[in-house]
Amino acid sequence: MSKLPDFEALAMFAKVAEERSFAAAARTMGVSVATVSRAVTRLEERLGGRLLNRTSRRLALTDYGHMLAERASRIFADAEEAEDLARDAASRPRGLVKLAAPLSFGTRWVAPLLPEFFRRYPEIAVDLHLTDAQTDLIGDGFDAALRIAVLEDSSLVARLIAPVQRFVVASPAYLEKNGRPQHPHDLVAHQCLSYANRSKRDVWRFTHRETGEEVAVAPRGLLRGTSAEALLPTVLEGLAMTELPEFIATQYFPDGRLEPVLTDWRLPEGGLYFVTPTARARPAKVSALADFLIAGLTDARWSAEAVMGWKRPPPSRKQT
């Protein structure tokens, strides 16, 4: 015999005891009379005692049945209340959302949006985890994540918010001292800072915007770091160049502290995505946060187009 209580049989017995009728209990629960009868019989066999005396006209609880009916009714009521609470939580935006986001992007663009979100949804709390390492949404128990990447196929559900370009950048001082690279192959003679948290060795993959020529370069430099913040001081001091996502690089373009190089070439364009483990039965709290962040981030105010008025370049043409 299973150690797990037969909750279905207990619920059906509780309803029969309340209605004093198999037929009435079946109608209330939306099942057949035979289903209710089998459940009560199964419960009696499991417990080893008769719960009901049945005649063609009457149904009455035995003393043993009276003893169990009150407890069974309480279990049934508790289960209904639990379902009501869960249903309310699923349809009403309330509770805790565990959200992951890239460190720099989360600090600069997500965190400033949250005060307005909390004003609109005072019953939602957010655990905001900022890291440039890719989080395991399911394994680490996250409700959602903002990801900036060239997103690979996966079982996760991802909604594109905005495209994100990447730039190789250097300070004017560095370029004056070391020269401006004209071809990706020239980078082997330069100090190129890279990221240490990528799953594979960091490789910069360029495609020429006109010819479609493809070149892969493994950057080598004085420093590798897990975030752009770790690389920026060395780059701004004119000691190296690096590759930065659009939402960081464009902060330094207007005042000329950094300049894009190799502008005839493009790196793989990624995107900003709102990612969840599944779209099925998404809780209202997650949907509320998703809709809010998507609305607040779709305009991509960090983009080169928005900051500098640069027209987003078209995809490169492949050689034939």
Side-chain angles (χ1 to χ4, degrees):
M1 181 177 68
S2 171
K3 294 182 179 180
L4 184 67
D6 192 340
F7 292 108
E8 181 185 60
L10 284 166
M12 290 188 176
F13 167 66
K15 189 56 66 175
V16 169
E18 177 185 335
E19 300 286 347
R20 291 295 195 272
S21 165
F22 279 87
R27 284 195 301 272
T28 301
M29 291 184 288
V31 298
S32 68
V33 174
T35 298
V36 176
S37 179
R38 283 195 298 270
V40 173
T41 299
R42 186 172 73 240
L43 187 62
E44 289 178 326
E45 292 173 352
R46 178 187 177 96
L47 300 179
R50 180 174 287 279
L51 299 170
L52 298 162
N53 288 320
R54 308 167 180 85
T55 68
S56 58
R57 295 186 178 183
R58 293 188 58 207
L59 184 150
L61 291 167
T62 64
D63 289 342
Y64 187 53
H66 274 292
M67 180 188 71
L68 182 62
E70 182 179 351
R71 291 176 172 81
S73 295
R74 189 159 58 243
I75 291 170
F76 185 65
D78 287 344
E80 284 188 315
E81 182 180 1
E83 283 197 350
D84 288 342
L85 287 171
R87 194 176 295 110
D88 181 60
S91 61
R92 179 181 175 189
R94 62 186 299 181
L96 175 67
V97 179
K98 191 175 179 183
L99 175 71
L103 176 60
S104 301
F105 187 82
T107 302
R108 176 68 179 85
W109 297 103
V110 178
L113 295 176
L114 293 180
E116 176 59 26
F117 176 77
F118 294 133
R119 279 192 285 268
R120 293 190 194 180
Y121 300 99
E123 295 185 88
I124 298 180
V126 176
D127 271 0
L128 181 60
H129 294 248
L130 299 179
T131 175
D132 287 331
Q134 183 160 304
T135 52
D136 179 355
L137 262 67
I138 297 174
D140 294 333
F142 283 93
D143 296 296
L146 288 167
R147 285 187 177 168
I148 297 174
V150 180
L151 206 62
E152 299 177 355
D153 291 337
S154 74
S155 60
L156 303 177
V157 177
R159 179 172 174 182
L160 176 64
I161 300 175
V164 178
Q165 297 184 78
R166 305 190 73 87
F167 295 94
V168 175
V169 300
S171 71
Y174 178 88
L175 296 174
E176 182 177 355
K177 179 179 179 181
N178 299 282
R180 182 182 294 270
Q182 302 299 314
H183 190 282
H185 288 314
D186 297 341
L187 295 176
V188 298
H190 288 268
Q191 289 287 338
C192 298
L193 309 190
S194 60
Y195 294 95
N197 61 347
R198 291 182 173 165
S199 58
K200 300 178 182 178
R201 185 182 179 189
D202 199 12
V203 175
W204 296 354
R205 301 185 185 279
F206 295 89
T207 303
H208 196 276
R209 298 187 187 279
E210 293 297 324
T211 67
E213 178 188 357
E214 296 180 349
V215 179
V217 177
R220 293 181 297 176
L222 299 166
L223 177 66
R224 298 179 73 222
T226 58
S227 72
E229 280 74 13
L231 307 180
L232 272 168
T234 301
V235 176
L236 290 167
E237 285 293 319
L239 300 176
M241 62 177 60
T242 194
E243 173 228 9
L244 292 176
E246 191 171 12
F247 65 88
I248 297 177
T250 54
Q251 299 177 56
Y252 300 93
F253 290 169
D255 61 8
R257 282 187 291 169
L258 292 179
E259 298 179 14
V261 301
L262 296 170
T263 54
D264 289 338
W265 299 77
R266 68 175 180 90
L267 292 161
E269 184 176 280
L272 169 64
Y273 295 88
F274 190 90
V275 182
T276 54
T278 177
R280 186 180 61 214
R282 179 186 290 172
K285 61 184 181 180
V286 177
S287 293
L289 183 60
D291 292 343
F292 180 85
L293 291 178
I294 290 169
L297 298 170
T298 298
D299 61 0
R301 287 171 290 161
W302 62 82
S303 70
E305 185 175 5
V307 175
M308 304 293 292
W310 296 352
K311 184 178 179 181
R312 182 171 293 275
S316 62
R317 297 199 301 258
K318 291 279 187 179
Q319 287 179 319
T320 57

